[in-house]
Amino acid sequence: MTAEEEVVNGGAIEKPTLGARLLGANTFWIGLVLIALCVVFGVLEPTAFLTLFTVQTLLIETAVLLVLSVGMTFVIITGGIDLSVGSVLIFSGMVSAKAMEWVSGGSSTNAGWGVILFGLVVAIVAGTAWGILNGLLIAAAKIPPLIVTLGTLGAALGAASLLNNGSDIRTLPSTMRTTIGYGTSFGYVPNLVIVAVVLTLIGAWLLHTTVFGRHTFAVGSNAEAARRSGIGVTRHLTSIYTLTGALAGVAGFMSLAYFGSTTISAHSTDNLNAIAAVVMGGTSLFGGVGTVLGTVIGVFIPAVLKKGFNIIHVQDFWQMIAVGAVLIAAVWFDQQRRRSRNR
Amino acid sequence: MSEPILSLRGVNKSFGPVHVLHDIDFTVRAGEVTALVGDNGAGKSTLVKCIAGIHPVDSGEILFDGKPVHIHGPRDAAALGIEVVYQDLALADNLDVVQNMFLGRERLSGFLLDEAEMELAARRTLASLSVRTVKSVRTPVSSLSGGQRQTVAIAKAVLWDSKVVLLDEPTAALGVAQTRQVLDLVRRLAEQGLGVVLISHNMNDVLEVSDRIATLYLGRMAAELPTRELNHSQVVELITAGRSGDLGLARPDVVTI
């Protein structure tokens, strides 16, 4: 009873600071941009944009990237970067598909839930392994994250290609595809989206209300101060890259279920998309600042732009230009605000 | 005067071929401010880091409350009640005052951070030190002035029922009024019964606020004397030459290697 009360109290204290943080960070402003985009496209094509189908596909298409970006948020808050997430995603999917084929003895098309769960576990383990490798090289061997993950970016992709001689695996359990891939729950909600939302909420909980999250901010803000305060910085960094790897593993399995293929060539820019989403969402590349909510908004801005341009029949390529502009504008705006505050 | 709370006996520390600390004896007494002075490179910061557990000592013993202890890391030191306020402030800029004060030792309710409890404890500590300069405990440290940051760093150190607080040049980057505030705070810590070690280059600060002065000279303890028995020029001589009249190291020719 008392514990519950304390939680309620803690929540009450947290609220104003969270509100202030939102107003202060550019999360709030970028959120407005997202709403404005939705309104503009909604007004231009009300019958096409604001439909259940559009919203559903929009959410499904962003689900995989959202999971990657949640992990990336942690990494960037520590002042690091992880370029390898897309390759780790492919590797995890490939290993998972191979494992499911192996336990089904050949094609896994008719495999049941046991095999599918096995595949999920394998995907997570594969992603986690790359995450641990990244983490140890960065935190223990003290090699810059950019270099380490640039290395594992190539290595994971190469390893994934080696496993099946460079070609995709397209025979996957049909049960997995129809339930996780494009099944829905509660009538309308795509299952893939539920997975992404649950993982995002767990990420937000971890980052904003737990000691793990607090230490993540501390490490990114001043690693030496964190070390002197008795925080195991090496261990913490390693676990963050491990977490990101594990999330990339889950994302690999989600991608497998959605595309019904290992999609070796489809994820080459996932890492940059995730970084762009996180940065657009107000997370500082210098570390110490960031929110999961911001990342969610940052993931949806490119997605909404793309969907909207499709619907109003503007060529898709304009989306890339628009996202680039929004990204640069968001960071510039954020810097200006910081400078004027520090003056 | 009062009982030693922390004593070092014959402590040595080398970094590779560089012998930084030679047979250091050093005593901190509860309720007193012990100033630790010495020229650049005399080994002040190294000594502090040895006490804080950041560098392990090579030989010699450390007594805490009369009992020999082994300090292997910052956590061991913290567990004993030894807190260090570093010269380059060990605060995380993006975190607020409360978050910084509880960094590494957050209070929990269940799995979640107990923000309300921590905020309350932080306010209480700041109030007990008569700190009025920090307006909101939810301000990010990056927006505080140098003096306010130093105050937060010191308050962080006393939050934990600490017995010994080591301050590494707390006034180095501060203006006159802010230096005043921090020195008052240092005095208040001693009045609360803590053993305070103050490292400073500013002789006026040292003579004003300390009860004893320990002088390091090229990695050796030149003298450890009550402040009232020393004057400004004697302290300066001890720092620059390792001796002053009858005080200090007996044979300077051996020392100047």
Side-chain angles (χ1 to χ4, degrees):
Chain A
M1 178 202 120
T2 46
E4 261 174 27
E5 269 174 18
E6 274 169 23
V7 170
V8 171
N9 271 339
I13 290 290
E14 181 79 330
K15 253 178 195 165
T17 58
L18 200 66
R21 217 185 288 160
L22 284 188
L23 273 178
N26 71 350
T27 311
F28 178 75
W29 303 103
I30 205 78
L32 283 185
V33 170
L34 179 61
I35 292 167
L37 284 177
C38 291
V39 169
V40 167
F41 288 126
V43 169
L44 286 176
E45 284 283 340
T47 49
F49 187 74
L50 299 169
T51 60
L52 181 67
F53 177 75
T54 309
V55 174
Q56 273 180 339
T57 48
L58 183 73
L59 290 173
I60 290 187
E61 283 161 12
T62 46
V64 171
L65 184 62
L66 183 58
V67 173
L68 289 181
S69 303
V70 167
M72 190 68 82
T73 309
F74 280 84
V75 167
I76 294 184
I77 287 175
T78 66
I81 200 96
D82 190 344
L83 297 176
S84 71
V85 285
S87 295
V88 172
L89 180 155
I90 294 165
F91 180 85
S92 307
M94 179 59 85
V95 174
S96 173
K98 273 279 173 194
M100 286 192 284
E101 279 191 343
W102 178 65
V103 287
S104 330
S107 165
S108 62
T109 315
N110 298 315
W113 277 105
V115 173
I116 297 171
L117 280 178
F118 176 71
L120 173 63
V121 171
V122 169
I124 295 174
V125 169
T128 307
W130 282 105
I132 292 174
L133 180 66
N134 277 339
L136 289 177
L137 288 172
I138 291 162
K142 309 234 184 300
I143 306 167
L146 188 77
I147 302 304
V148 170
T149 58
L150 188 61
T152 50
L153 159 89
L157 189 60
S161 305
L162 274 177
L163 282 172
N164 204 39
N165 296 320
S167 55
D168 280 315
I169 297 177
R170 291 198 177 78
T171 50
L172 292 159
S174 49
T175 321
M176 173 177 92
R177 297 216 56 205
T178 51
T179 52
I180 304 170
Y182 38 82
T184 53
S185 297
F186 316 113
Y188 308 107
V189 192
N191 290 332
L192 209 59
V193 175
I194 295 178
V195 174
V197 167
V198 168
L199 289 174
T200 306
L201 287 176
I202 293 174
W205 169 81
L206 192 63
L207 185 63
H208 297 299
T209 64
T210 67
V211 172
F212 185 87
R214 178 63 46 82
H215 290 182
T216 304
F217 283 104
V219 168
S221 184
N222 187 342
E224 186 57 25
R227 200 170 69 86
R228 286 175 184 173
S229 299
I231 297 171
V233 174
T234 307
R235 197 178 147 169
H236 196 78
L237 276 178
T238 311
S239 46
I240 280 172
Y241 283 94
T242 306
L243 172 80
T244 307
L247 284 172
V250 177
F253 190 76
M254 290 166 71
S255 156
L256 214 54
Y258 177 60
F259 292 109
S261 158
T262 46
T263 57
I264 290 180
S265 57
H267 293 279
S268 53
T269 57
D270 274 16
N271 51 3
L272 300 180
N273 291 339
I275 293 166
V278 170
V279 172
M280 259 193 271
T283 300
S284 167
L285 279 171
F286 301 105
V289 178
T291 59
V292 171
L293 178 63
T295 298
V296 173
I297 297 169
V299 166
F300 275 103
I301 283 182
V304 166
L305 273 173
K306 185 174 180 145
K307 206 36 102 208
F309 282 165
N310 275 343
I311 286 171
I312 62 170
H313 307 294
V314 173
Q315 270 195 322
D316 211 21
F317 308 116
W318 282 105
Q319 182 257 2
M320 296 155 89
I321 297 171
V323 170
V326 172
L327 175 67
I328 294 170
V331 173
W332 179 78
F333 188 62
D334 190 39
Q335 279 183 347
Q336 292 300 311
R337 222 174 29 74
R338 266 168 230 256
R339 261 179 228 154
S340 65
R341 193 184 59 194
N342 290 345
R343 217 172 270 148
Chain B
M1 206 163 81
S2 55
E3 284 298 296
I5 177 105
L6 175 76
S7 354
L8 275 63
R9 300 261 172 277
V11 165
N12 281 282
K13 175 71 194 171
S14 301
F15 293 108
V18 187
H19 201 162
V20 183
L21 298 177
H22 294 262
D23 295 322
I24 297 289
D25 293 339
F26 180 55
T27 309
V28 182
R29 291 179 167 80
E32 285 191 0
V33 178
T34 308
L36 184 60
V37 297
D39 213 344
N40 289 335
K44 305 185 298 293
S45 292
T46 306
L47 182 58
V48 167
K49 283 178 177 161
C50 285
I51 297 172
I54 291 185
H55 301 319
V57 298
D58 295 340
S59 66
E61 59 173 355
I62 300 176
L63 300 171
F64 191 83
D65 246 348
K67 290 179 279 290
V69 291
H70 294 279
I71 301 175
H72 296 295
R75 274 178 192 276
D76 290 351
L80 288 170
I82 300 171
E83 291 290 332
V84 188
V85 179
Y86 291 97
Q87 182 176 4
D88 43 347
L89 295 161
L91 296 177
D93 272 0
N94 302 115
L95 302 187
D96 67 31
V97 173
V98 178
Q99 291 171 341
N100 263 294
M101 285 174 71
F102 281 89
L103 192 57
R105 285 171 291 196
E106 290 81 1
R107 283 188 198 164
L108 301 176
S109 64
F111 281 113
L112 304 179
L113 293 163
D114 195 344
E115 298 286 354
E117 170 67 24
M118 288 195 278
E119 189 171 322
L120 213 66
R123 280 173 205 250
R124 225 178 279 138
T125 306
L126 288 170
S128 79
L129 295 169
S130 314
V131 172
R132 279 175 250 284
T133 47
V134 179
K135 292 229 162 49
S136 163
V137 288
R138 287 297 178 187
T139 328
V141 164
S142 56
S143 64
L144 297 181
S145 73
Q148 289 172 325
R149 283 155 169 259
Q150 198 57 259
T151 306
V152 170
I154 294 171
K156 179 188 180 186
V158 299
L159 183 62
W160 306 101
D161 295 326
S162 337
K163 304 208 169 53
V164 175
V165 177
L166 303 128
L167 304 158
D168 192 355
E169 303 215 32
T171 60
L174 302 184
V176 177
Q178 295 182 332
T179 300
R180 185 74 264 141
Q181 285 165 10
V182 170
L183 290 182
D184 286 347
L185 191 54
V186 168
R187 217 40 256 180
R188 237 172 278 140
L189 296 182
E191 280 158 18
Q192 290 194 353
L194 279 75
V196 182
V197 178
L198 173 72
I199 296 181
S200 183
H201 276 297
N202 187 321
M203 280 316 113
N204 294 328
D205 290 1
V206 167
L207 289 166
E208 179 189 331
V209 87
S210 69
D211 299 297
R212 299 176 68 81
I213 299 179
T215 315
L216 279 171
Y217 178 71
L218 295 177
R220 290 168 205 270
M221 189 58 77
E224 196 179 350
L225 295 161
T227 307
R228 63 187 131 73
E229 293 174 16
L230 291 165
N231 60 34
H232 190 285
S233 59
Q234 281 174 313
V235 179
V236 171
E237 275 179 43
L238 282 168
I239 291 171
T240 50
R243 60 201 302 269
S244 169
D246 300 337
L247 305 171
L249 298 166
R251 290 174 296 163
D253 50 308
V254 179
V255 180
T256 48
I257 304 157

